[in-house]
Amino acid sequence: MNLSERLKELRTEKKLTQKKIALKLNVAYQVYQRWEKGERQPKKESIENLATVFNVSVGYLLGETNIKSGSEIDEIMEKLKVPRQQKTIQFAKKQLIEQTEEDKIVQLHNSLIPYEIEEEQSLSAGRGEAYTDEVGKEVVYWDKDIKHDRAIVIRENSMEPDYHYGQIALIRYQSCVDINGDIYAVDDVERGLAYIKSVYVEDDYIRLVSLNDDIDFEGNRLFPDILLPRDENTRIIGKVIEAFTPIEKV
């Protein structure tokens, strides 16, 4: 309920005319009439005077609470016996905790940063992920604002425990490897595959190394190193500067 609706409600409850309220406030009748119609917003001092005239809190007058005044709560508590007073206080505390948590969630979701990801593109944390030139867009959300050039979904789990399936990799364009062992997005042009790997540049090859060192029952690594030739078919897309799990926006 907004201010104009509250004014009309309270005036009607007290069975007063607009002219009588205006007289109590020492303002012109037309001025109060505009307040009640919502055509004009009273100043802070006038709102406080209105609250005094109607014997309610400013918060109630503005529609921020449904409790008319602190005295209303006191009157109710005084009428309750001690055991019921204690139950009322416990219930009120529980409500306050729930409200605080809800406010935190709302505040978080209002501050979420949108990230536009490429629906058809993904980076393989495995043996390679096929990609296409037909790129759709989807928006996901996170609570940090990181400057980046591309945002792409990670598939498979060869880069665990640091990077997980379904996370979003944020990439900053970089055409070469400046530090061996850092995490890069790599494009195998010839086979149409893209990877997220720890990258090492060797004499004739670029070695793609998985962080996940799990082995099979024969003792072989589930995700062995991948060697790509150092030629035009191997392209460094960029460095992975961050990865995150999207937060669902409600």
Side-chain angles (χ1 to χ4, degrees):
M1 187 173 287
N2 58 35
L3 174 61
S4 62
E5 292 170 333
R6 282 286 198 222
L7 291 176
K8 185 175 182 179
E9 176 192 63
L10 291 167
R11 181 179 60 78
T12 303
E13 284 180 3
K14 291 184 176 293
K15 298 180 180 179
L16 295 172
T17 64
Q18 292 180 339
K19 288 183 178 180
K20 284 187 177 181
I21 296 296
L23 187 62
K24 286 176 177 288
L25 294 167
N26 195 28
V27 299
Y29 157 67
Q30 293 85 353
V31 171
Y32 176 80
Q33 191 178 46
R34 291 192 185 101
W35 291 347
E36 194 170 295
K37 287 183 177 180
E39 295 175 353
R40 181 180 293 181
Q41 184 76 8
K43 294 180 180 179
K44 181 181 178 182
E45 183 180 353
S46 297
I47 291 175
E48 291 172 350
N49 291 338
L50 283 163
T52 300
V53 167
F54 288 117
N55 192 29
V56 297
S57 67
V58 170
Y60 181 82
L61 198 61
L62 296 175
E64 296 171 352
T65 177
N66 288 323
I67 298 173
K68 289 186 176 180
S69 66
S71 60
E72 182 181 12
I73 297 176
D74 293 339
E75 288 175 8
I76 293 172
M77 291 296 286
E78 286 175 3
K79 292 177 181 178
L80 292 174
K81 294 181 179 179
V82 173
R84 292 186 181 276
Q85 287 179 347
Q86 293 173 342
K87 287 182 179 180
T88 301
I89 292 171
Q90 290 173 356
F91 177 77
K93 286 181 177 179
K94 182 180 178 182
Q95 289 295 306
L96 182 58
I97 292 172
E98 290 179 0
Q99 177 180 284
T100 301
E101 292 303 314
E102 289 171 359
D103 289 345
K104 287 180 181 178
I105 293 172
V106 170
Q107 185 177 8
L108 169 64
H109 285 282
N110 287 341
S111 64
L112 290 178
I113 307 298
Y115 285 84
E116 192 175 70
I117 65 170
E118 301 170 10
E119 287 182 316
E120 301 301 326
Q121 303 284 36
S122 57
L123 295 172
S124 173
R127 296 175 176 81
E129 188 73 25
Y131 60 86
T132 173
D133 291 331
E134 299 295 327
V135 179
K137 299 291 184 180
E138 179 187 356
V139 175
V140 298
Y141 297 89
W142 196 33
D143 58 357
K144 295 180 182 178
D145 189 5
I146 305 294
K147 291 183 178 180
H148 65 288
D149 296 307
R150 292 178 73 177
I152 305 179
V153 181
I154 298 173
R155 303 298 183 192
E156 299 193 39
N157 57 0
S158 76
M159 295 301 285
E160 291 186 351
D162 293 358
Y163 301 88
H164 302 281
Y165 184 99
Q167 283 191 316
I168 308 302
L170 299 181
I171 301 166
R172 185 173 295 150
Y173 285 144
Q174 185 173 313
S175 60
C176 62
V177 174
D178 53 358
I179 302 176
N180 274 338
D182 277 3
I183 310 301
Y184 294 85
V186 182
D187 185 0
D188 182 351
V189 177
E190 185 175 13
R191 292 189 293 171
L193 300 175
Y195 302 88
I196 172 174
K197 296 289 183 182
S198 175
V199 177
Y200 294 82
V201 177
E202 300 178 357
D203 291 339
D204 299 319
Y205 296 95
I206 291 180
R207 183 180 296 273
L208 308 184
V209 179
S210 299
L211 300 182
N212 188 338
D213 56 4
D214 287 349
I215 58 176
D216 61 21
F217 65 94
E218 293 180 343
N220 300 313
R221 289 189 63 190
L222 292 178
F223 304 101
D225 294 354
I226 298 171
L227 295 179
L228 297 179
R230 292 185 62 182
D231 58 25
E232 67 277 2
N233 288 318
T234 301
R235 183 172 66 93
I236 303 298
I237 300 171
K239 180 174 284 190
V240 177
I241 55 175
E242 187 64 85
F244 68 90
T245 300
I247 298 174
E248 185 177 353
K249 190 169 186 178
V250 295

